[in-house]
C-alpha cells in the first residue's frame, strides 16, 4: 500500500481497447512490495485482463483482507473503490457489497494466511453461497509481513528460509473450492502470465463463485531450495491441463490449436471459454474428475494449473435469494417503506 | 379454610404459570394473557425460561393491571403449579392470602401446602386421560383445560377466549373445535366442582384503548423494514434471533416487487457473528442500509469489525438484545449489561452511538431512526434492547409512520456533485466543521470520487499515512463527529416531581415501566424525585445539567457494575459520589417494588437523626 501515485502522462500512441481506455487507465499506485514479488505479476495480469475485457474500471469493487496480497488492490484499477478490510474477512465484506449492488464486478484478493487460516471459514462460506465474484488467492505459503512463518498452504516437508521443516499437512484451497461447489475453479502460477490473464478474464465474466489459486512465490521468505512455493519448484513441477482463450461477443473460434483440441464452453453472458487441451483426457466440466485428477497429481508432487472446473450454468447468491434486478442500494423510500396504511393494518392485527 | 384472608382483587393481580419446558404450555398461557386484554384490561406478561429445549422449568407470568403498570410487580397472587420439580419454590413464592392451582389427580400430603393460601385442585390428568388417548393430545389439551378452569375461577367471559381460539385456528376447523371443547371441559368441571369465582377476578373494562400487543424484537425488525434496511446478516443467538426471523417474516409480506414477485431485500444467516457484521459493513460501504441482530457474546466477536466501522467511518446498525453475561452467563435471562462494551467497543480509542428504547413502540421508532443516524454520522449505531423488551409481548402505543418522511442518506457525493467546478472531494475532509465527511458509493464516477477504504491510518484524502499529526488530526475529527451526534440522537426525557425536590433519578430502557410505577410508590412513602430517562449515548448536555441541579441522583440500572453511571461519570467528569447506584442484576426484570424499596430505604436513611450521637 502506498501513497505514491504513478505519473499521469503517457505515450499518445498507447493501444486502446473497445472503450478507448489504455493500460494506464487500469493501473493503480506504485507497488511497495519487494522487487520481484510474484504478487506484482498477478497485479499486472489483473490489469491486462480488465483491459482486454474492456471493463469500465470504476465498475469494479476490489476488496481484500490484510497482508502482502491484500495490499495489491491499491496497485491496480486506480479509479475503482477499494476496501482493505480485516485479516481473513474479505469474503464477508465482499458478500455484503455484492448484496448491496449486484451490478458491479467484485474482485476479492486474498492471501494464503488470509484465506487458509484466519479466514478459512469465510472463504468456505462465500464459495458455498455462490457469491458472484472473482476470488484470487495470491498463494506463497508463507506469512511475509510478519517475516517468514509457515502458512496453512505450506506443504508438509517444505522448508522455511530459516531451515525449519513444516510438519503440518497443507490445505489445498483448490480442492476445498471444488468440494464446496465453486462453479469456476482454477490454479495458476504468477510466473505464467499467458495462462493467468485469460483465467482471470474468464473468472470475471463467470456468473457465480470463481476461485483462482495463484502460486506466487515470496521473494523474501519463500524462494529457496526446499520450498515448494518457489519459482524454480513450481516451474519444474507445473502440469498445465489446458490453456484458455476468452471470447466475448464474437463468433466462436473453430480453429484448432496445436497440440491439442479446443473445447468451447459457452457461459450465460455469451462469453465463450476456449480450452486448448494440453492434457488429452482432461474434462473441465466434471467436478468429480477434477477432484480426482488434482489429488492424483498432488500425490506425484505436481502442481496442476489451468481451468480445473467450470459450470457454465452456475447461479449466484442473488439468484438463490431471488432479489430484484435493481441494485438494492438504489432503492428509495417509495420502493422500501410500506407506509402508514400498511402499518395501521399491522397495528390492527396486534390488538 | 386458609388462616389468612384470601386476596380479593379485581383486575389487579399476578398469575404465574409454572410449567415444564417443551410441554406446549406457551400458547395456552399466552392465550390467557390475550383473553384478559380482550376484556379491556391491560396485562404485562413475562416469559421466564431456561436455556433448554425440553424438560427444565419454565414460568410465564401475567400481571393483570387495570392501572396499566407494565413493569414486573414482584410476588405471585395465584400460582398455576404444573411442574412437580419446582413445586416447593413455586408454593413458597405465593403472596400470603394467595391461591395455588394444581393438578389434583394424585393426592398430595398436606405438608406440601401452606396454611395461609387457598388451594384449588383440579384433576387435570384424570380429565384429559378420560377424554384423549393420544399422548401428545393429552399434553396439549391439558393446558387448555386448565385455561378453561381459570376462566371459571376468575370469572372470565369464555366467548372472548373462544374468539381468540377462532382467530388462532382460522381455517383449521378441527383444531378450532377441539380446543374450544377442551376449554369447556375445564370450565364446566370448575363450575360444577369448585366455588367460582374466587377473590381474584377479571371484569370487563375499557383500559386498553388502541394500544397494541407486540414483542420488542418484532417491533424493532419492523422498524428496520420501515427504516429502509435491505440487507440483514445474522447468526442465531438468544435473545436476538427473533429479530432476524421477524425481519424475514415482515419482508416476505411487505417487500416483494408486486410485478416480478422478487425480493427487495437480502437476508443471510452468516456462518458466525464475524461474517454477519462483515456482510453488514460490506453492504453499508456499498450504499445499502444493513443491520445485524445479536447479543453480548456476539458483540464480543464483532468488536474488530466494529473498530473498523468506527475508524473507516462505515455506517451500520447493530441491534443488541442484551442478556445476562458475561461469557455465557444466563443466556435466557435479562440484563442491561453491555453498555460499556458497546459504548467503547473494539481496541484503541472508540466511542459509539447507543440508543435505548423503553418499549416496542420506541424500539420501532429508534430502529427506523438508527438507519438515518448511521448514514448521517457514517458510523455504527447500537440499538440497545434487552430480553425483557425483546422477547416479551408488551402493551404499547400503536406504531406510527409519517408518509412524508424521506430517508436521510447523509453526506453522499453524487457524480453530478463531483463534476461541479471547484468541488474538492476528500473522503475524510471535514468540509462543514461537524466532523462528518462526504462519501461516495463505489461505481459513482469513471474518474472522480474513488477512494481506498482501510483500517490503517490515512490522510484527509484517504491516502495511507503513518504521520503522527495526520493520525491525530483524524482522531480529533472523530471526536468532533461524536460531539455532533449529541444533537442528532433522541434527547433525554425529563419529568419533575409534584413538589420541589433536591433528588433526582436517572434510568433507561426496559426499566421505564417499573420506574413509572415506583415513582408513585415512593410518593406514597413521602419521597419526591425528579426523573430523567436517558434515550441515547452520547449524552445530551441536559444530563449534566440535571445532575448539577440536584444534590444527588439515583441511577437505576440492571447490571452489577453500574455501567451507565460509569459512562456518565467518565463522559461528563461528574463526581461519582453524586450518583447513587440502584442495581438489579439477578436476571429477572427489575420491579417497581425493588426500585421503591431501594430508593425509599436510602431516602429514609437520609432523614434519620444519628441516634448514637444523641444517646452518647
Amino acid at each position: 500500500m502506498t501513497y505514491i501515485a504513478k505519473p499521469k502522462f503517457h505515450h499518445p500512441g498507447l493501444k486502446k481497447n473497445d472503450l478507448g481506455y489504455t493500460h494506464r487507465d487500469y493501473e493503480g499506485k506504485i507497488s511497495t512490495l519487494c522487487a520481484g514479488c510474484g504478487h506484482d505479476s498477478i497485479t499486472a495480469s489483473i490489469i491486462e485482463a480488465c483491459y482486454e475485457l474492456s471493463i469500465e474500471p470504476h465498475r469494479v469493487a476490489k476488496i481484500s483482507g490484510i497482508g502482502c496480497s491484500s495490499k495489491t488492490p491499491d496497485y491496480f484499477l486506480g479509479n475503482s473503490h477499494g476496501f482493505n478490510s480485516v485479516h481473513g474477512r474479505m469474503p464477508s465484506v465482499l458478500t455484503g457489497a455484492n448484496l448491496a449492488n449486484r451490478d458491479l464486478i467484485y474482485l476479492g484478493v486474498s492471501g494464503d494466511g488470509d484465506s487458509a487460516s484466519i479466514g478459512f471459514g469465510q472463504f468456505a462460506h462465500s464459495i458455498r453461497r455462490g457469491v458472484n465474484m472473482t476470488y484470487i488467492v495470491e498463494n506463497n505459503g508463507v506469512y511475509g509481513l510478519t517475516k517468514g512463518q509457515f502458512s496453512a498452504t505450506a506443504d508438509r516437508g517444505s522448508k522455511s528460509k530459516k531451515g525449519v521443516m513444516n510438519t503440518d499437512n497443507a490445505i489445498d484451497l483448490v480442492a476445498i473450492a471444488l468440494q464446496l461447489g465453486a462453479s469456476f475453479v482454477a490454479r495458476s502460477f504468477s510466473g505464467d502470465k499467458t495462462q493467468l490473464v485469460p483465467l482471470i478474464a474468464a473468472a470475471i465474466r463467470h456468473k457465480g463463485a470463481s476461485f483462482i489459486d495463484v502460486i506466487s512465490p515470496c521473494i523474501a521468505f519463500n524462494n529457496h531450495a526446499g520450498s515448494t512455493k518457489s519459482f524454480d519448484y513450481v516451474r519444474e513441477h507445473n502440469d498445465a491441463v489446458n490453456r484458455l482463450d476468452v471470447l466475448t461477443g464474437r463468433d466462436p473460434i473453430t480453429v484448432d490449436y496445436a497440440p491439442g483440441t479446443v473445447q468451447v464452453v459457452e457461459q450465460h453472458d455469451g462469453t465463450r471459454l476456449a480450452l486448448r487441451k494440453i492434457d488429452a483426457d482432461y474434462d473441465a466440466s466434471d467436478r468429480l474428475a477434477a477432484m480426482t485428477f488434482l489429488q492424483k497429481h498432488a500425490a506425484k508432487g505436481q502442481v496442476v494449473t489451468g481451468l480445473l472446473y467450470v459450470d457454465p450454468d452456475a447461479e449466484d447468491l442473488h439468484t438463490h435469494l431471488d432479489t430484484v434486478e435493481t441494485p438494492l442500494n438504489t432503492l428509495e423510500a417509495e420502493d422500501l417503506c410500506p407506509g402508514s396504511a400498511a402499518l395501521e393494518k399491522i397495528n390492527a392485527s396486534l390488538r | 379454610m386458609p388462616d389468612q384472608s384470601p386476596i380479593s382483587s379485581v383486575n389487579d393481580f399476578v398469575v404465574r404459570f409454572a410449567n415444564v419446558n417443551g410441554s406446549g404450555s406457551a400458547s395456552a398461557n399466552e392465550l390467557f394473557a390475550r383473553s384478559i386484554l380482550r376484556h379491556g384490561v391491560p396485562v404485562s406478561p413475562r416469559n421466564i425460561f431456561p436455556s433448554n429445549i425440553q424438560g427444565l422449568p419454565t414460568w410465564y407470568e401475567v400481571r393483570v393491571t387495570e392501572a396499566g403498570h407494565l413493569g414486573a410487580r414482584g410476588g405471585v397472587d395465584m400460582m398455576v403449579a404444573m411442574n412437580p420439580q419446582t413445586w416447593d419454590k413455586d408454593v413458597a413464592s405465593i403472596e400470603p392470602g394467595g391461591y395455588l392451582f394444581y393438578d389434583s389427580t394424585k393426592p398430595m400430603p398436606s405438608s406440601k401446602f401452606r396454611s395461609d393460601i387457598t388451594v384449588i385442585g383440579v384433576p387435570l390428568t384424570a380429565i384429559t386421560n378420560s377424554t384423549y388417548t393420544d399422548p401428545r393430545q393429552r399434553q396439549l389439551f391439558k393446558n387448555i383445560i386448565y385455561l378453561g378452569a381459570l376462566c371459571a375461577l376468575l370469572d372470565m367471559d369464555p366467548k372472548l377466549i373462544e374468539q381468540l381460539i377462532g382467530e388462532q385456528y382460522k381455517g383449521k376447523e378441527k383444531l378450532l373445535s377441539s380446543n374450544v371443547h377442551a376449554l369447556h371441559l375445564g370450565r364446566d368441571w370448575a363450575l360444577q366442582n369448585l366455588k367460582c369465582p374466587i377473590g381474584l377476578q377479571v371484569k370487563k373494562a375499557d383500559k386498553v384503548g388502541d394500544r397494541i400487543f407486540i414483542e420488542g424484537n418484532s417491533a424493532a425488525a419492523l422498524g428496520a423494514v420501515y427504516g429502509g434496511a435491505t440487507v440483514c446478516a445474522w447468526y442465531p443467538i438468544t435473545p436476538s434471533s427473533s429479530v432476524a426471523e421477524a425481519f424475514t417474516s415482515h419482508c416476505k409480506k411487505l417487500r416483494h416487487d408486486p410485478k416480478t414477485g422478487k425480493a427487495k431485500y437480502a437476508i443471510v444467516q452468516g456462518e458466525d457473528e464475524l461474517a454477519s457484521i462483515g456482510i453488514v459493513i460490506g453492504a453499508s460501504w456499498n450504499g445499502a442500509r444493513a443491520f445485524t441482530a445479536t447479543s453480548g457474546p456476539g458483540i464480543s466477536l464483532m468488536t474488530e469489525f466494529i473498530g473498523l466501522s468506527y475508524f473507516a467511518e462505515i455506517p451500520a446498525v447493530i441491534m443488541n438484545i442484551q442478556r445476562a453475561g458475561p461469557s455465557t452467563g444466563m443466556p435466557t435471562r435479562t440484563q442491561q449489561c453491555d453498555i460499556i462494551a458497546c459504548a467503547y467497543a473494539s481496541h484503541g480509542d472508540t466511542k459509539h452511538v447507543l440508543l435505548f428504547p423503553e418499549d416496542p413502540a420506541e424500539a420501532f421508532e429508534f430502529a427506523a431512526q438508527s438507519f438515518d443516524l448511521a448514514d448521517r454520522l457514517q458510523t455504527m449505531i447500537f440499538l440497545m434492547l434487552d430480553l425483557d423488551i425483546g422477547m416479551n409481548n408488551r402493551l404499547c402505543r400503536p406504531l406510527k409512520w409519517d408518509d412524508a418522511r424521506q430517508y436521510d442518506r447523509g453526506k453522499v457525493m453524487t457524480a453530478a456533485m463531483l463534476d461541479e467546478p471547484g468541488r474538492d472531494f476528500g473522503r475524510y475532509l471535514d468540509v462543514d466543521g461537524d466532523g462528518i465527511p462526504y462519501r461516495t458509493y463505489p461505481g459513482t464516477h469513471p474518474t472522480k470520487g474513488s477512494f481506498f477504504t482501510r483500517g490503517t491510518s490515512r490522510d484527509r484524502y484517504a491516502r495511507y499515512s503513518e504521520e503522527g499529526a495526520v493520525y491525530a488530526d483524524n482522531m480529533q475529527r472523530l471526536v468532533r463527529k461524536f460531539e455532533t451526534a449529541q444533537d442528532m440522537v433522541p434527547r433525554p426525557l425529563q419529568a419533575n416531581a409534584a413538589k420541589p425536590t433536591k433528588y433526582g433519578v436517572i434510568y433507561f430502557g426496559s426499566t421505564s415501566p417499573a420506574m413509572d410505577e415506583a415513582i408513585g410508590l415512593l410518593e406514597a412513602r413521602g419521597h419526591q424525585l425528579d426523573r430523567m430517562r436517558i434515550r441515547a449515548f452520547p449524552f445530551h448536555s441536559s444530563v449534566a445539567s440535571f445532575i448539577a441541579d440536584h444534590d444527588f441522583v439515583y441511577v437505576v440500572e440492571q447490571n452489577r457494575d453500574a455501567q451507565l453511571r460509569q459512562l456518565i461519570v467518565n463522559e461528563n467528569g461528574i463526581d461519582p459520589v453524586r450518583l447513587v447506584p440502584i442495581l438489579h442484576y439477578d436476571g429477572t426484570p427489575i420491579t417497581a417494588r425493588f426500585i421503591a424499596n431501594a430508593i425509599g430505604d436510602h431516602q429514609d436513611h437520609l432523614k434519620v437523626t444519628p441516634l448514637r450521637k444523641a444517646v452518647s
Side-chain angles (χ1 to χ4, degrees):
Chain A
M1 211 170 306
T2 179
Y3 51 83
I4 307 168
K6 284 184 182 171
K8 285 184 179 167
F9 65 86
H10 57 76
H11 194 280
L14 274 180
K15 208 171 87 178
K16 292 180 178 173
N17 63 14
D18 293 348
L19 292 176
Y21 289 121
T22 69
H23 268 89
R24 300 301 304 273
D25 296 311
Y26 293 88
E27 291 176 356
K29 295 192 172 67
I30 291 173
S31 169
T32 58
L33 297 174
C34 309
C37 177
H39 294 0
D40 283 335
S41 304
I42 300 171
T43 293
S45 295
I46 291 171
I47 290 169
E48 181 70 24
C50 291
Y51 168 83
E52 286 185 3
L53 289 177
S54 292
I55 285 170
E56 291 178 285
H58 73 291
R59 303 297 296 170
V60 176
K62 45 187 188 176
I63 300 166
S64 60
I66 295 285
C68 292
S69 60
S70 292
K71 287 166 172 259
T72 62
D74 222 9
Y75 312 146
F76 57 79
L77 301 176
N79 282 323
S80 300
H81 276 62
F83 195 149
N84 202 181
S85 62
V86 294
H87 202 198
R89 315 286 151 67
M90 174 277 285
S92 64
V93 175
L94 188 151
T95 302
N98 184 297
L99 290 175
N101 185 356
R102 60 191 298 168
D103 282 356
L104 298 184
I105 292 163
Y106 293 92
L107 204 49
V109 179
S110 183
D112 42 301
D114 217 39
S115 280
S117 289
I118 187 168
F120 193 47
Q122 295 218 342
F123 155 72
H125 288 275
S126 67
I127 296 285
R128 87 176 169 91
R129 290 192 181 104
V131 180
N132 185 12
M133 62 182 172
T134 298
Y135 190 134
I136 297 174
V137 166
E138 303 186 349
N139 185 356
N140 56 21
V142 74
Y143 285 82
L145 275 181
T146 50
K147 306 199 172 178
Q149 300 84 0
F150 285 120
S151 84
T153 64
D155 292 306
R156 187 172 183 169
S158 63
K159 278 186 181 166
S160 74
K161 192 178 179 183
K162 288 180 181 169
V164 178
M165 179 85 77
N166 180 31
T167 56
D168 294 339
N169 288 324
I171 289 174
D172 185 341
L173 293 171
V174 163
I176 302 290
L178 281 168
Q179 199 274 327
L180 289 169
S183 46
F184 182 108
V185 183
R187 171 172 281 145
S188 192
F189 173 45
S190 63
D192 187 356
K193 205 174 163 187
T194 311
Q195 183 191 55
L196 183 55
V197 172
L199 275 179
I200 294 171
I204 288 173
R205 295 303 297 257
H206 179 74
K207 185 187 173 187
S210 303
F211 177 72
I212 309 176
D213 180 42
V214 187
I215 308 297
S216 174
C218 173
I219 206 77
F221 294 107
N222 212 10
N223 193 36
H224 47 265
S227 164
T228 58
K229 297 279 190 290
S230 68
F231 279 111
D232 287 345
Y233 184 91
V234 180
R235 282 197 187 105
E236 284 161 18
H237 295 80
N238 184 1
D239 181 11
V241 295
N242 47 37
R243 294 284 175 189
L244 193 68
D245 288 318
V246 180
L247 314 169
T248 56
R250 286 174 284 182
D251 292 333
I253 284 184
T254 53
V255 182
D256 203 352
Y257 283 78
T261 56
V262 174
Q263 181 188 39
V264 177
V265 180
E266 187 161 355
Q267 302 200 103
H268 270 313
D269 68 349
T271 312
R272 295 177 191 89
L273 310 179
L275 306 176
R276 287 182 280 134
K277 282 192 179 180
I278 290 173
D279 205 297
D281 58 354
Y282 193 79
D283 177 4
S285 66
D286 186 337
R287 185 187 296 274
L288 194 63
M291 292 166 86
T292 310
F293 186 86
L294 191 72
Q295 300 291 350
K296 269 188 190 171
H297 284 70
K300 289 189 272 185
Q302 289 179 329
V303 182
V304 178
T305 62
L307 178 59
L308 297 165
Y309 175 73
V310 63
D311 173 6
D313 298 322
E315 293 178 337
D316 79 331
L317 181 57
H318 278 282
T319 312
H320 302 154
L321 296 175
D322 199 24
T323 49
V324 288
E325 295 299 322
T326 313
L328 295 177
N329 68 350
T330 63
L331 298 177
E332 302 286 350
E334 50 269 29
D335 303 308
L336 299 172
C337 183
S340 60
L343 200 55
E344 274 312 311
K345 280 187 191 166
I346 293 168
N347 282 328
S349 72
L350 296 167
R351 290 186 178 117
Chain B
M1 284 294 288
D3 56 17
Q4 167 97 23
S5 300
I7 297 171
S8 180
S9 181
V10 176
N11 292 348
D12 184 13
F13 55 88
V14 172
V15 179
R16 183 180 282 188
F17 298 86
N19 295 102
V20 178
N21 212 14
S23 64
S25 58
S27 58
N29 297 344
E30 193 179 317
L31 194 59
F32 173 76
R34 286 181 182 276
S35 66
I36 290 169
L37 270 183
R38 289 293 173 98
H39 283 76
V41 180
V43 291
S44 174
R46 276 175 176 79
N47 256 308
I48 304 152
F49 57 101
S51 180
N52 165 267
I53 305 297
Q54 280 188 341
L56 287 182
T58 182
W59 292 271
Y60 186 74
E61 180 180 295
V62 180
R63 183 176 186 187
V64 181
T65 167
E66 187 168 328
H69 298 307
L70 300 180
R73 188 198 70 179
V76 177
D77 299 313
M78 181 182 211
M79 176 66 72
V80 180
M82 303 301 293
N83 186 356
Q85 235 187 322
T86 57
W87 176 272
D88 292 342
K89 190 181 166 191
D90 293 336
V91 171
S93 66
I94 300 169
E95 299 277 288
Y99 302 82
L100 170 68
F101 178 105
Y102 80 110
D103 181 355
S104 60
T105 302
K106 282 185 186 171
M108 299 276 276
S110 59
S111 61
K112 286 296 200 180
F113 302 110
R114 271 169 48 188
S115 60
D116 61 342
I117 58 173
T118 299
V119 177
I120 303 164
V122 179
L124 295 167
T125 305
I127 298 171
T128 48
N129 287 356
S130 65
T131 315
Y132 306 100
T133 50
D134 177 64
R136 186 63 185 155
Q137 274 191 335
R138 282 178 172 173
Q139 180 63 59
L140 292 176
F141 286 125
K142 188 198 279 187
N143 303 323
I144 301 296
I145 290 169
Y146 72 61
L147 179 61
L150 288 175
C151 172
L153 291 163
L154 301 174
D155 200 21
M156 295 163 69
D157 182 351
K159 286 199 174 60
L160 293 174
I161 307 179
E162 283 177 29
Q163 194 183 12
L164 277 169
I165 293 173
E167 289 169 21
Q168 190 172 339
Y169 296 110
K170 198 176 174 185
K172 297 172 183 169
E173 295 305 320
K174 201 175 165 189
L175 275 172
L176 194 159
S177 58
S178 53
N179 273 278
V180 170
H181 176 68
L183 179 79
H184 283 283
L185 267 182
R187 184 168 180 272
D188 293 347
W189 193 95
L191 287 171
Q192 287 158 21
N193 298 284
L194 300 171
K195 181 184 169 295
C196 298
I198 56 171
L200 307 177
Q201 290 175 40
V202 179
K203 294 286 179 217
K204 284 184 185 167
D206 188 14
K207 300 289 183 186
V208 174
D210 67 345
R211 281 183 286 180
I212 60 168
F213 196 52
I214 185 174
E215 283 183 347
N217 282 355
S218 180
L222 200 54
V225 173
Y226 274 76
T230 51
V231 176
C232 167
W234 66 294
Y235 185 71
I237 180 171
T238 303
S240 76
S241 298
S242 57
V243 174
E245 286 164 353
F247 184 71
T248 307
S249 162
H250 293 316
C251 282
K252 279 183 178 169
K253 289 176 195 152
L254 302 167
R255 278 279 192 79
H256 279 262
D257 186 303
K259 287 180 191 162
T260 62
K262 287 181 176 288
K264 290 189 274 189
Y265 61 91
I267 302 168
V268 175
Q269 183 182 317
E271 58 270 29
D272 52 34
E273 283 89 347
L274 287 76
S276 302
I277 191 65
I279 290 170
V280 167
I281 284 175
S284 299
W285 171 76
N286 211 1
R289 291 191 151 184
F291 78 101
T292 188
T294 189
S295 189
I299 297 290
S300 304
L301 289 166
M302 292 175 184
T303 51
E304 187 188 21
F305 257 132
I306 292 169
L308 179 73
S309 162
Y310 177 79
F311 196 62
E313 298 179 67
I314 299 165
V317 174
I318 295 181
M319 298 184 186
N320 178 16
I321 322 302
Q322 298 166 90
R323 67 188 214 190
S327 187
T328 317
M330 293 195 286
T332 59
R333 309 297 163 130
T334 192
Q335 272 189 2
Q336 300 171 316
C337 55
D338 300 335
I339 312 299
I340 296 294
C342 291
Y344 301 130
S346 202
H347 48 275
D349 296 320
T350 57
K351 286 176 198 266
H352 303 288
V353 175
L354 316 180
L355 306 180
F356 304 111
E358 67 166 349
D359 67 1
E362 221 171 51
F364 169 80
E365 289 160 14
F366 286 9
Q369 192 180 355
S370 65
F371 294 96
D372 277 353
L373 278 172
D375 274 345
R376 291 177 72 192
L377 289 163
Q378 295 173 37
T379 197
M380 187 77 78
I381 307 291
F382 290 80
L383 185 71
M384 304 288 283
L385 276 77
D386 58 32
L387 184 146
D388 189 28
I389 299 178
M391 289 190 73
N392 287 310
N393 275 302
R394 288 281 187 93
L395 204 56
C396 64
R397 64 186 185 279
L399 309 179
K400 282 202 162 38
W401 187 260
D402 177 2
D403 286 328
R405 179 171 164 176
Q406 289 294 310
Y407 298 150
D408 186 342
R409 303 306 312 264
K411 297 183 185 180
V412 178
M413 208 169 274
T414 61
M417 290 166 75
L418 288 164
D419 280 334
E420 284 170 11
R423 172 74 82 166
D424 184 19
F425 174 72
R427 171 66 182 101
Y428 299 108
L429 271 178
D430 188 2
V431 181
D432 305 314
D434 57 3
I436 305 171
Y438 276 83
R439 65 173 175 148
T440 52
Y441 298 151
T444 295
H445 194 284
T447 54
K448 297 174 185 172
S450 69
F451 62 92
F452 213 90
T453 302
R454 51 167 69 89
T456 41
S457 183
R458 71 275 146 161
D459 67 9
R460 295 174 182 184
Y461 290 86
R463 294 172 300 208
Y464 176 72
S465 170
E466 292 183 13
E467 288 292 328
V470 168
Y471 171 81
D473 174 67
N474 186 54
M475 292 299 280
Q476 281 305 314
R477 184 180 53 75
L478 289 170
V479 169
R480 243 178 358 259
K481 184 164 86 165
F482 199 68
E483 286 165 357
T484 300
Q486 274 185 32
D487 291 319
M488 289 185 181
V489 298
R491 294 192 176 196
L493 297 180
Q494 200 172 329
N496 289 335
K499 296 175 187 169
T501 176
K502 296 183 288 183
Y503 310 118
V505 60
I506 283 175
Y507 60 101
F508 65 104
S510 67
T511 304
S512 197
M515 190 71 232
D516 291 344
E517 188 181 354
I519 287 291
L521 298 175
L522 284 162
E523 278 175 1
R525 280 174 71 168
H527 303 302
Q528 299 288 331
L529 289 169
D530 293 335
R531 52 187 157 143
M532 172 174 268
R533 178 162 72 88
I534 287 180
R535 301 199 296 168
F537 174 69
F539 302 123
H540 189 258
S541 56
S542 58
V543 175
S545 304
F546 180 80
I547 296 166
D549 289 346
H550 296 87
D551 281 2
F552 60 80
V553 172
Y554 298 98
V555 183
V556 181
E557 47 188 317
Q558 300 182 54
N559 58 65
R560 186 194 67 179
D561 292 344
Q563 295 190 21
L564 183 72
R565 177 174 170 270
Q566 283 184 47
L567 201 57
I568 293 171
V569 167
N570 198 36
E571 293 291 322
N572 291 330
I574 288 172
D575 180 357
V577 173
R578 305 194 57 234
L579 297 176
V580 181
I582 302 293
L583 305 171
H584 179 89
Y585 51 90
D586 66 1
T588 62
I590 196 166
T591 65
R593 285 182 183 178
F594 173 86
I595 297 170
N597 288 338
I599 294 180
D601 290 350
H602 193 273
Q603 290 281 97
D604 288 343
H605 179 72
L606 293 174
K607 290 180 180 170
V608 172
T609 307
L611 289 178
R612 248 183 307 170
K613 222 177 201 177
V615 173
S616 63

